[in-house]
Structure formats: C-alpha cells, structure tokens
Amino acid sequence: MLRAAAARCTRGAARRLSSSAAAETVAASPAAAGALKRPSLDEGDWSYHREWWGEEDGPGEGAQTVFRRHSECGNGVVSVSAYPASHPASEHWPAMERWLQERNARLYPESTGADQFKILGYQWRVMRFNDHTRQSTAKVMTCYRTSGQRSLFLMQQPHVLAVPYVKSMVSAALTTLPCSSYDLPEAASGQDNMKILCIGHGGGSLPLFLASKFRGASIHIVEIDPVVVSASIEAMGFPKSSVKDLSSESMLPADADDLLWGGIHDRISLHIADAEDFIASDSNQYDLVFIDAYDGDDIFPRRLWDAEGTFMKNLEKKVHPVHGTVVVNLHSDSELPDSGVESVAEFQSILPMGKHVSRVCRAYKEHFGFAFTAAVPWLCNITLVACRDKAITSGARLGLSHRDFILGKLLSKSDVVERALGLPFPCLAYIKNGFRLVE
C-alpha cells in the first residue's frame, strides 16, 4: 500500500518521495544512493519509478486506464492504469517469443509449429483505490498467438518487485527464517515443503515472486475483495486458475496459465474470504506469513492487530512454533508530531495509521515473543517482523548489544538467501535501514 500524497509527509516520513522529489534527493545524496545500489538486471529497481509512479493525485498524463470497477468491500473505486516500460528492450523480445513457442509445442505437439507468438510489449500496471492510493505495482508482458480465438495473453513478470516495501518485506522475512534454523535452500530447490500465507492480495506480485523462487512452496492468499482479485487477473496478469470460487468470466485464453506459468501457478491458492474467518477455520501451519491489508482509506483494520482479538490469537496458533515468522507492512514510519494542531491534522490525513504504529508492533511482539522493524527506503512504510524469541535470540553475543547481535545474525544470512534464490536485489540494505528492536 502506497499513498500518493506522501510527498507532504513530515520529518520521519520524508523518505517517501514523489517522482520529482526522488530525483532531486538521489542527486543531492549520492552516498545514500550508492548504499542501496542494486544490480542493473533488477527490472524493478527504484530508478525506473518515473515510469510507473504517475502524478501525486492520480494516474497522470500518458496513463491508460485498463480496469475500473466499484468495490463493495470498503475499497471504493478499484482501477488499474498502464504505463509503458522501457525494459526489456524490443531486441530481447524474440528470445521470449521462442520460449513461448517451445512451451506451446510441448503442450500441443500436433500443432507442428503453426502457432506463432508475438510480444506486443511490456507495461507497468498500477492498481489504485479511489484514483489516489497506489495499492500495487507490477510489470506485465502482453503477447498474442497468431492462430485460434481469444489469443491475447497477459503475464505478470514474477521476478520483478517494483515497490521498495515489498523488497523490504521479502528481505526481512527470508533472512529471519534461516536465523531460526530453517533450511531455506532446501525449500528453494523443492527438497522441502514451505507453507506461506499472504493476507492481502493487491496485484499478486509478492506470492508470484515467492512461488517462482521456492519450488517447495505452497502459498495461500486471502483477499476479501473480489474486485481486487478480478483486477489482478484481468489487468495485472495474475494466473486465474490459482483463484478459488471466482465467479467472473475472464477474456483470457483457457490455456493461458498452463502455457505461461509452467506449474508455478499450481503452488498458489487464492481464497476470496475474510482473513479473520479464514484463520479461524484454516488447518494449515505456516512457516511464513505476510500481512499487507489496507482499505480504500489507507487503514490497517484494527482486528488484524488487536492483541486481545481472535485474529491474533488464532494466528499465533497457525504459525510454526520454532521458526514461524510474520511480516507486516505498516504504512507509516513515524509517530504523530508533537507540535501544532494543524501539522497533526495534516499528518493524520496523510498517514492515518501513524498514531497506532507502536501499538501494532507491541501487539505482534506480545503474541510471538520477539519483533523488530526496518524502515523502507524512499517510502513512508516500515516492515514489522515478529517471530519466536527463543530461536532468533539464541547464541553467544560476544560482547555485542542485543540489537547488534540480532542485526549481525540477520546480515550474516543475507548472502545465503541471495545465492539460494538468485535475487536481483541485495537483502542487506533493506534489513539494516532504520533497524530497530520492538521494546
């Protein structure tokens, strides 16, 4: 969840930048930019944000609206805007076209090469609530098959994580697990099973990324709003067959998922349900839980962080008792300022969750034993991680403070995670940025 008005954020929230402010800040602070430099092959690098960020108060000039529908679940108008993407360049398209033709030949050996695939291009697709709040960003490939009916295909690019807070969540989560003796490479290779729960769906970039990286993954997604799910399928290239009990008809070809995803979609189950009800009835035990659930008013529902509520009590039972880890996106990296009624009112209108951040963090720490936060570069978000305290705090400190000991353990695992998954971005920079223990 991102807010377009956050360029007006005060003090601690000033890291979240509009497109013009981001360019000015990076230019003025080369040392900070260098500290977070990522490999050029990362198509979701923040340096491309001008291609999809749009204007502060809406999609902006050059955007094309490809989906627009009213939600009955508190999200207002759900829309998806399309922006041209510069990468991959057109000279690289033939390689993907050949890959599609090879996949098609395996699925339909009788076709004898009659079916040809042509790429139309790559776009950024940005989901918004009420034309204002940026909810999700994904890169989508559009292609077509030269024969047959309904031959237009949309495929979200699972290796691209465009928004820094998603990279922060992934980095913090995947380095915490091996600190608690979880064998991450085994799950990545498919030699071990890994159960993941994602609460809040958006465009589906996070679960698709995880499903593409972990062959042993079984990923369940819970999304309360069927309009959001429909937008992700119809306009953001999410595989339709992953969705349970979706009534709407899709204009995409019936064989799209088998052709495009090669089994990745079989690792994902998307449930249209209320998260509190789902957790109460679910029989799975999860190694990893991601929570990113905001409504059209940019509010993280209280029942998803109320320490005395049924959701938190049930969630605690559904997470692995040794290495289970919960990661929460919080859209505010600062408490309310102390001075001025006017500034407080402005801050609340921009980041309504600001006054609750500390309470949310303490609630998750209370239920899981240990918690830390990391600030997200460039955005008004923090990543909250809660896990079992006995697992992550074990070991000799060697004179280090509690904070430095935990941070050292996390950083020591970052290289293991990057190698095992072939990540296009470094975990280390996201973990250590504004790292704090929840007291």
Side-chain angles (χ1 to χ4, degrees), residues 10 16 53 69 75 92 113 144 149 200 222 236 240 259 312 343 388 391 401 418 429 434 437:
T10 58
R16 186 170 189 278
W53 190 254
R69 197 173 300 169
N75 291 324
H92 300 297
Y144 68 95
Q149 295 180 338
V222 183
M236 301 186 79
K240 181 180 185 296
L259 176 70
M312 291 290 288
S343 63
R388 310 298 184 181
S401 68
E418 292 164 22
L437 299 182

Side-chain angles (χ1 to χ4, degrees), residues 64 66 82-85 121-125 138-142 154:
Q64 177 186 2
V66 293
Y83 302 84
Y122 291 79
Q123 290 181 327
W124 295 107
R125 298 288 178 97
K139 179 173 279 190
V140 175
M141 177 196 71
T142 307
L154 293 179

Side-chain angles (χ1 to χ4, degrees), residues 224-238:
I224 195 172
D225 193 344
V227 174
V228 169
V229 175
S230 294
S232 74
I233 295 169
E234 297 175 28
M236 301 186 79
F238 188 83

Side-chain angles (χ1 to χ4, degrees), residues 9-23:
C9 284
T10 58
R11 238 169 39 135
R15 282 191 302 276
R16 186 170 189 278
L17 308 172
S18 66
S19 56
S20 58

